[in-house]
Amino acid sequence: MQFLHDIISYFENSVLADNIRENDLLFPLIESIHVVAICLVVGSILAVDLRLLGFASVHRSVSRVTAGILPLTWVAFAVAVASGGLLFISNATKYLENGYFVAKLFLIGLAGLNMVVFHLVSAKDMAQWDSQSRLPFRARLAGGLSVLLWISVVACGRWIGFTMRVG
Ligand code: HEM
């Protein structure tokens, strides 16, 4: 635990974190990049989830929908993590005290787990139902859980700014 604390305070006291904290333009600029990246992450994931739930793109196979979108999701996710990390180091101690920030990271982990379980377990026999408009329950469950988890991530992200301890 001490090791993690040392790493976090090392970055929080870095020249980079100082610049983000002190410069009037840097934080809003990085947060804007964060918002655009998360729009692409959540938007692209919801497009796949709506297919899994049978609400959209039902005339396209699941594998075609995911193959067309997932590369964008991963690139946008990398940008979201990088920009989020820069915002985080600018005020790391206070963010770690913020329940919404911690909850957001936990929910991102759960959303990732849901995705892994879907791809490695639920979608193992996808060839059998890939082009169906109404998919097996486990595929619809994965889509529904994903929608709930990502909306919760965005809500927690939004609430961080309203609940940060000042001073
Ligand atoms: C893809 C996953 C992510 C999503 C969907 C997400 C979502 C959000 C949202 C909706 C906001 C509020 C933006 C605003 O309204 O201005 C936000 C802010 C923020 N996020 Fe993320 N985020 C993600 C990943 C991360 C990661 C990995 C970190 C850090 C390690 C992070 C750190 C932050 C910080 C520090 C803020 C600024 C809060 C503030 O002071 O206003 N985010 N995020």
Side-chain angles (χ1 to χ4, degrees):
M1 220 35 205
Q2 184 56 39
F3 172 69
L4 197 60
H5 180 267
D6 294 347
I7 292 254
I8 289 171
S9 51
Y10 169 79
F11 281 107
E12 188 169 17
N13 300 315
S14 66
V15 175
L16 176 61
D18 233 22
N19 284 329
I20 299 170
R21 239 186 331 266
E22 305 304 328
N23 182 307
D24 291 342
L25 276 183
L26 264 184
F27 189 96
L29 183 67
I30 298 169
E31 185 151 32
S32 306
I33 294 169
H34 193 60
V35 169
V36 172
I38 57 184
C39 289
L40 289 172
V41 170
V42 178
S44 59
I45 289 175
L46 290 185
V48 174
D49 295 340
L50 293 175
R51 172 63 183 96
L52 294 178
L53 288 163
F55 294 151
S57 316
V58 290
H59 303 299
R60 295 178 70 209
S61 69
V62 177
S63 51
R64 269 195 67 203
V65 172
T66 48
I69 282 183
L70 280 187
L72 167 74
T73 308
W74 284 117
V75 172
F77 187 76
V79 176
V81 172
S83 55
L86 289 175
L87 297 173
F88 171 69
I89 64 169
S90 73
N91 231 334
T93 310
K94 285 208 183 109
Y95 283 123
L96 288 174
E97 290 168 1
N98 184 290
Y100 290 101
F101 176 78
V102 175
K104 184 179 101 171
L105 293 188
F106 179 68
L107 289 164
I108 293 171
L110 279 184
L113 184 65
N114 180 47
M115 222 171 168
V116 168
V117 169
F118 172 71
H119 286 285
L120 297 186
V121 181
S122 314
K124 261 211 164 127
D125 60 344
M126 187 152 78
Q128 288 161 30
W129 41 266
D130 194 16
S131 306
Q132 292 172 11
S133 52
R134 186 173 167 76
L135 304 180
F137 175 72
R138 59 189 184 281
R140 285 177 279 135
L141 179 67
L145 279 176
S146 177
V147 171
L148 287 178
L149 286 167
W150 283 108
I151 290 176
S152 310
V153 168
V154 170
C156 285
R158 193 68 279 251
W159 250 263
I160 300 170
F162 292 122
T163 55
M164 279 293 281
R165 181 171 62 76
V166 278

